[in-house]
Amino acid sequence: MDRFDAMQAFARVVETGSFTKAAMTLHMSKTSVTQLVQQLEARLRVKLLHRTTRKVNVTADGAAYYERVRRVLADVDDAETSLSGGAQSPRGRLRVDVPSPLARLILVPALPDFHARHPEIQLDLGVSDRMVDIIGENVDCVLRGGALTDQSLIQRHVADLPLGVYAAPRYLALAGVPAHPRELEGTHQRIVGFHWARHGRAASYAMQRGDERLEVRGRHALSVDDGNAYIAAGVAGMGVLWLPEYMARAHRDSGELVPLFEDWQMAPMPLYLAYAPQRHVSAKLRAFIAWVTALLERHAPVMRRPVG
């Protein structure tokens, strides 16, 4: 038995909750992963995992052993990275998941700079607005707009996205230009709904003008869970949109979208970077976090709010 391979297999089973998923992420057969874990348990003379036909749970001994194994694997990763100048050149595969508009409009156009700085990092970019199981899917980090519900993750507030309300001229020609946000809840106006994949509920939007505060949900004929589909529906005239400035800019400049309620204010949408809780963050993940934080600082810096 290769003890390092066995520890890596065990750690991946704990992180994914499945022998099958662990085998996929390690590019091994399920049989090989199972044998490695069994050999590790035999060598240690303890039960590390409870197995049923439907679920794998870590034992108390297994949980304690996993914490130590994780640190060992992290130290090995750092040791390999430090060789031959690796500390200055992080390398390896990095899996990141980001919202589709953010990828299309900000991240992907800037990636040549990231690759020039870190040519030995292989970036696997998932582009979606769905809820991602960071540990189960072996994802290194995600970027998501709005508050994150999984409080077990390490979260970094990396940007504030200014919001505005927009509609296509073709929509306004048919429905009329609403003079007040409350009109969007009437029978003559429609919004394009956006339902968050992580909880399935449609979004609502808080707006303020002076002392007047309200929350608008609106009526929709179409609701989507993808940012690119959302803006395409608005441009097609399906209804009113609430958009971050970076998503609306090109469509507003081209005349495809018209701003509404410009005398109303909205709280910006916070953007968070999240990754699994662990004592060690790999050099390649540290490099990506530093790069993407600086990139977003240029596009949508975090707004410093007064205390009190």
Side-chain angles (χ1 to χ4, degrees):
M1 175 190 70
D2 184 300
R3 291 171 63 185
F4 180 82
D5 287 346
M7 288 190 295
Q8 192 172 45
F10 165 70
R12 196 59 54 83
V13 172
V14 173
E15 291 163 356
T16 62
S18 163
F19 281 87
T20 300
K21 290 180 180 178
M24 291 175 59
T25 61
L26 292 169
H27 305 289
M28 300 171 66
S29 69
K30 180 182 176 182
T31 300
S32 296
V33 172
T34 301
Q35 290 175 344
L36 283 169
V37 173
Q38 289 173 342
Q39 291 166 5
L40 186 62
E41 289 179 319
R43 185 181 188 282
L44 297 172
R45 298 180 183 178
V46 295
K47 190 79 170 175
L48 298 173
L49 300 168
H50 288 303
R51 307 168 183 82
T52 68
T53 56
R54 302 180 61 181
K55 197 172 184 182
V56 177
N57 292 314
V58 66
T59 66
D61 286 332
Y65 183 65
Y66 170 71
E67 290 301 318
R68 292 178 176 271
V69 163
R70 187 170 61 179
R71 292 198 294 271
V72 169
L73 296 176
D75 288 342
V76 170
D77 181 68
D78 263 357
E80 291 181 346
T81 301
S82 66
L83 294 175
S84 303
Q88 288 74 43
S89 301
R91 63 177 179 267
R93 184 186 185 201
L94 189 68
R95 296 190 63 189
V96 178
D97 199 277
V98 302
S100 50
L102 189 74
R104 180 171 62 89
L105 296 171
I106 295 180
L107 259 66
V108 171
L111 282 180
D113 171 68
F114 179 77
H115 181 67
R117 294 172 185 235
H118 308 290
E120 296 185 71
I121 294 180
Q122 175 191 337
L123 186 62
D124 291 357
L125 193 65
V127 179
S128 71
D129 289 294
R130 68 183 180 88
M131 183 172 63
V132 174
D133 180 357
I134 290 181
I135 295 175
E137 298 180 45
N138 197 30
V139 174
D140 291 287
C141 72
V142 299
L143 281 165
R144 286 293 181 267
L148 297 176
T149 56
D150 189 346
Q151 298 303 310
S152 69
L153 300 176
I154 305 299
Q155 302 180 21
R156 292 185 56 173
H157 185 187
V158 292
D160 278 319
L161 307 176
L163 293 172
V165 189
Y166 302 87
R170 69 178 75 181
Y171 168 81
L172 297 174
L174 293 173
V177 179
H180 192 281
R182 282 292 184 209
E183 294 182 34
L184 299 179
E185 297 181 335
T187 58
H188 299 294
Q189 298 285 345
R190 291 289 183 273
I191 70 165
V192 179
F194 190 92
H195 53 274
W196 296 101
R198 56 181 171 264
H199 52 58
R201 296 192 300 271
S204 60
Y205 303 92
M207 304 180 67
Q208 179 176 345
R209 182 177 61 180
D211 295 331
E212 187 177 6
R213 297 177 177 84
L214 51 85
E215 188 166 305
V216 179
R217 189 172 297 275
R219 301 160 58 92
H220 67 265
L222 171 68
S223 181
V224 300
D225 64 356
D226 173 82
N228 284 332
Y230 180 72
I231 196 167
V235 170
M238 289 297 297
V240 175
L241 302 169
W242 279 262
L243 287 174
E245 164 64 21
Y246 83 91
M247 289 174 62
R249 187 180 303 119
H251 300 282
R252 183 193 61 210
D253 293 346
S254 69
E256 292 178 304
L257 292 176
V258 175
L260 303 174
F261 314 126
E262 292 186 273
D263 54 340
W264 287 78
Q265 288 79 47
M266 300 177 64
M269 176 187 293
L271 188 69
Y272 289 93
L273 183 146
Y275 51 93
Q278 53 192 24
R279 294 183 179 88
H280 170 85
V281 177
S282 67
K284 59 191 175 184
L285 180 54
R286 287 198 301 270
F288 179 79
I289 291 173
W291 176 80
V292 79
T293 300
L295 175 68
L296 292 169
E297 175 69 23
R298 297 196 298 271
H299 286 271
V302 173
M303 296 182 180
R304 306 300 177 188
R305 296 172 176 81
V307 177

